[in-house]
């Protein structure tokens, strides 16, 4: 018998208890052992929750219990979770976590501490999609050329609703929270941090990059408005929040930001709360993974798969094994060197000569314009929406700064990168 203790019996924790109960037969057959939840830890013992397990408000009763073999950390947050996972590993307990924020900061230390003790985190990236197993096992023969993913269900839900139903940002965010998709602090979702945490985990497995969120480019979806969707529709693009890892020679670009992406690409068709990840390996070519990236049941499906792996005695290759890539000279690329196409929205006074002045500025930086449209904005203003051919990020940043300094520009220009 394998005895499980769960620290955090919230959205995901409750679903873990339910799957282990409801699918008990098939799970014990596949694990080769019975799996029993012994105890759960929560913050508030008085909260009503529809699962029937013994509860404590002291997580260390779980990490230190002689009657528990696997500690499942589902409380979220970084510092307290780090202490709890550390204590569990020091006590030689196997650990399963879905906590990408914790892993974004401490994955190498925890993996190092775990040594041969199982330390698993399938649910930390893309909820129910077994992307970590795919990268670690199924694609382990390949050099990974690129990973591009819609890895935040909340943002994808919001962007899909904004595109299809023209609803306002705040009311869709509220819906996503009620449906259990959003993080406790939803700014993590909409400002791109949650997707960045997941990207960092995948980048460790693919490239051995030991970066922190502060080291990479992270932009969220707050500034996007209906004009951007008008432009995207007109020229055949969807707007998505993408997490991108791209290897160019010995440099790896890691970035999270909204993109305009051609509607014909498979990833552009990933809508609602669903996640989709494209991984390109040098021998396999492009592979694509699709599924529910958030929500209690989908996430718990991945958590329980790790519990079953541990019960079987199976061990995935550790993350540290991949750190050698870093030692062999792979390093983070500077985001100023990104080369792509750009979409720019700029609100200007609607009068003769403005367009010429903007065109001259782009010419100065040898940036060529691909598409353009203009929409009346207010009484004497217009929104100029344009996209460029490929150019380098540092030039676009200079152009945006220059534009903002012109007296005919009415608000800070807004830019979205185009990923083709
Ligand atoms: P949640 O609903 O907020 O649940 C968190 C649970 O942890 C609650 O039961 C809470 O107790 C408990 N808790 C918090 N601090 C605690 C402490 N100091 N001591 C004891 N218990 C404590 O969160 P969730 O959505 O289930 O997410 C859990 C983890 O899974 C997070 O790391 C999250 O990023 C990750 N994840 C979530 C999803 C998703 O779709 N929700 C998907 C993938 C990964 P109370 O109930 O008493 O407040
Ligand atoms: N808040 C996350 C999301 C949960 O919206 O994708 C899954 O990690």
């Amino acid at each position: 018998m394998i005895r499980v203790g769960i620290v955090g019996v919230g959205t995901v924790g409750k679903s873990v208890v339910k799957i282990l109960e409801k699918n008990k037969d098939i799970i014990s057959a596949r694990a080769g052992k019975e799996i029993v939840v012994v105890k759960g830890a929560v913050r508030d013992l008085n909260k009503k929750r529809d699962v029937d397990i013994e509860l404590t408000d002291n997580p260390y009763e779980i990490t230190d219990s002689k009657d528990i073999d696997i500690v499942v950390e589902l409380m979220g947050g970084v510092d307290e979770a780090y202490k709890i996972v550390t204590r569990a590993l020091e006590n030689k307990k196997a650990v399963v976590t879905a906590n990408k924020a914790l892993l974004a900061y401490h994955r190498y230390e925890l993996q190092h501490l775990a040594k041969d003790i199982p330390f698993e985190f399938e649910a930390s990236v893309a909820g129910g999609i077994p992307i970590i197993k795919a990268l670690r096992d199924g694609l382990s023969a390949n050099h990974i050329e690129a990973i591009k993913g819609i890895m935040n269900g909340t943002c994808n839900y919001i962007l899909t609703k904004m595109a299809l139903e023209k609803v306002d940002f705040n009311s869709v965010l509220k819906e996503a929270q009620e449906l259990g998709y959003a993080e406790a602090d939803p700014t993590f979702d909409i400002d791109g941090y949650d997707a960045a945490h997941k990207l960092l985990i995948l980048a460790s497995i693919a490239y051995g990059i030991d970066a922190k969120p502060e080291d990479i480019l992270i932009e969220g979806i707050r500034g996007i408005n209906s004009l951007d969707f008008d432009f995207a529709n007109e020229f055949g693009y969807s707007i998505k929040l993408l997490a991108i890892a791209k290897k160019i020679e010995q440099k790896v670009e890691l970035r999270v930001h909204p993109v305009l992406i051609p509607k014909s690409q498979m990833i552009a068709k990933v809508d609602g709360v669903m996640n989709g990840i494209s991984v390109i390996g040098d021998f396999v070519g492009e592979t694509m993974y699709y599924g529910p990236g958030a929500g209690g049941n989908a996430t718990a499906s991945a958590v329980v798969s790790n519990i079953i792996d541990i019960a079987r005695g199976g061990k995935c290759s550790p993350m540290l094994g991949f750190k050698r890539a870093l030692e062999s000279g792979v390093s983070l690329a500077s985001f100023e060197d990104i080369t792509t196409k750009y979409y720019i929205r700029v609100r200007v006074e609607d009068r003769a000569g403005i367009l010429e002045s903007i065109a001259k500025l782009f010419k100065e930086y040898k940036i060529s314009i691909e598409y353009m449209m203009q929409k009346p904005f207010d009484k004497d203003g217009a929104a100029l929406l344009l996209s460029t051919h490929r150019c380098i990020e540092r030039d676009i940043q200079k152009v945006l700064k220059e534009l903002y300094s012109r007296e005919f520009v009415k608000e800070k220009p807004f830019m979205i990168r185009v990923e083709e």
Side-chain angles (χ1 to χ4, degrees):
M1 186 203 289
I2 290 285
R3 300 157 306 173
V4 172
I6 305 179
V7 181
V9 191
T11 305
V12 182
K14 282 190 286 191
S15 287
V16 167
V17 176
K18 285 180 193 165
I19 302 188
L20 286 170
E21 182 53 41
K22 185 148 187 276
N23 289 357
K24 191 157 63 185
D25 296 351
I26 195 83
I27 288 172
S28 39
R30 287 176 180 159
K33 291 185 182 101
E34 196 186 347
I35 296 172
V36 177
V37 179
V38 174
K39 201 181 254 190
V42 293
R43 221 172 354 205
D44 177 2
L45 286 170
N46 295 318
K47 212 185 251 182
K48 256 194 111 181
R49 37 194 116 227
D50 53 351
V51 287
D52 184 21
I53 56 168
E54 189 185 332
L55 292 177
T56 170
D57 57 5
N58 176 8
Y60 295 95
E61 272 184 32
I62 293 194
T63 56
D64 298 357
S65 167
K66 291 197 168 49
D67 298 327
I68 286 172
D69 307 302
I70 303 178
V71 175
V72 179
E73 184 275 304
L74 298 172
M75 62 183 277
V78 178
D79 296 342
E80 194 58 33
Y82 176 67
K83 285 186 204 152
I84 288 166
V85 169
T86 300
R87 178 88 146 246
L89 292 171
E90 282 167 355
N91 287 338
K92 310 281 178 230
K93 312 264 181 230
V95 170
V96 175
T97 180
N99 189 339
K100 54 264 164 160
L102 169 71
L103 295 168
Y105 286 95
H106 297 296
R107 58 199 182 282
Y108 283 102
E109 294 153 72
L110 290 171
Q111 186 73 70
H112 185 69
L113 177 64
K115 291 197 176 74
D116 289 335
I117 301 163
F119 174 59
E120 300 298 344
F121 41 85
E122 182 60 64
S124 63
V125 182
I129 307 174
I131 183 66
I132 289 179
K133 290 186 191 200
L135 264 182
R136 274 173 160 178
D137 300 331
L139 300 177
S140 56
N142 290 261
H143 286 287
I144 303 300
E145 293 176 352
I147 301 171
K148 286 185 197 176
I150 293 175
M151 299 190 203
N152 185 270
T154 303
C155 285
N156 208 39
Y157 186 79
I158 293 172
L159 291 174
T160 305
K161 283 238 167 183
M162 285 175 79
L164 300 179
E165 297 172 25
K166 298 198 180 297
V167 275
D168 101 274
F169 181 88
N170 288 320
S171 59
V172 203
L173 171 61
K174 193 159 172 277
E175 260 180 58
Q177 285 176 287
E178 283 161 7
L179 289 164
Y181 303 151
E183 296 302 302
D185 176 356
T187 57
F188 268 68
D189 295 297
I190 58 187
D191 291 332
Y193 290 97
D194 178 75
H197 294 160
K198 294 165 180 168
L199 181 69
L200 289 168
I201 296 167
L202 296 187
S204 287
I205 298 168
Y207 306 112
I209 293 280
D210 188 7
K212 301 264 189 291
E214 296 73 29
D215 304 327
I216 68 169
L217 174 67
I218 307 175
E219 289 169 8
I221 64 167
R222 272 181 210 271
I224 299 170
N225 71 25
S226 60
L227 288 168
D228 309 325
F229 285 103
D230 290 344
F231 181 91
N233 271 333
E234 179 69 26
F235 296 109
Y237 293 108
S238 290
I239 301 181
K240 298 288 180 191
L241 181 81
L242 271 199
I244 300 169
K246 217 183 262 183
K247 186 161 179 279
I248 302 164
E249 293 168 3
Q250 287 299 88
K251 296 274 182 197
V252 177
E253 281 179 10
L254 293 185
R255 45 191 169 104
V256 174
H257 51 75
V259 296
L260 262 67
I261 189 160
K263 281 188 172 155
S264 55
Q265 289 199 14
M266 270 172 84
I267 208 153
K269 303 181 204 303
V270 174
D271 279 337
V273 71
M274 301 308 263
N275 282 193
I277 305 173
S278 150
V279 182
I280 302 175
D282 58 348
F283 272 75
V284 70
E286 182 172 14
T287 58
M288 180 85 194
Y289 308 85
Y290 172 84
N297 287 347
T299 310
S301 157
V303 170
V304 173
S305 88
N306 279 158
I307 297 174
I308 295 172
D309 291 340
I310 295 169
R312 281 173 177 160
K315 270 210 300 179
C316 286
S317 30
M319 182 138 38
L320 271 184
F322 296 84
K323 203 175 175 183
R324 291 204 191 101
L326 185 66
E327 280 140 21
S328 70
V330 178
S331 61
L332 263 185
S334 156
F335 83 86
E336 288 201 314
D337 294 333
I338 295 168
T339 304
T340 190
K341 295 179 174 184
Y342 294 84
Y343 156 80
I344 292 168
R345 169 188 7 112
V346 53
R347 262 185 74 200
V348 292
E349 287 170 22
D350 195 1
R351 60 175 164 83
I354 301 293
L355 199 53
E356 187 193 14
S357 165
I358 292 177
K360 266 191 184 157
L361 176 61
F362 278 83
K363 188 178 168 215
E364 222 177 276
Y365 286 91
K366 299 189 177 60
I367 297 172
S368 163
I369 291 167
E370 184 171 28
Y371 297 124
M372 194 170 73
M373 68 195 272
Q374 181 171 316
K375 293 222 155 193
F377 203 81
D378 47 27
K379 203 163 53 61
D380 52 0
L384 200 60
L385 315 173
L386 58 88
S387 66
T388 71
H389 286 286
R390 280 174 77 79
C391 55
I392 192 157
E393 178 93 12
R394 80 169 62 81
D395 284 346
I396 274 294
Q397 294 295 350
K398 285 182 194 151
V399 165
L400 290 171
K401 210 169 153 198
E402 270 284 311
L403 271 177
Y404 194 30
S405 71
R406 302 282 164 104
E407 93 289 352
F408 57 79
V409 170
K410 296 178 133 196
E411 69 181 17
K412 195 170 179 194
F414 182 71
M415 174 272 276
I416 304 180
R417 296 172 189 82
V418 179
E419 191 68 28
E420 289 189 341

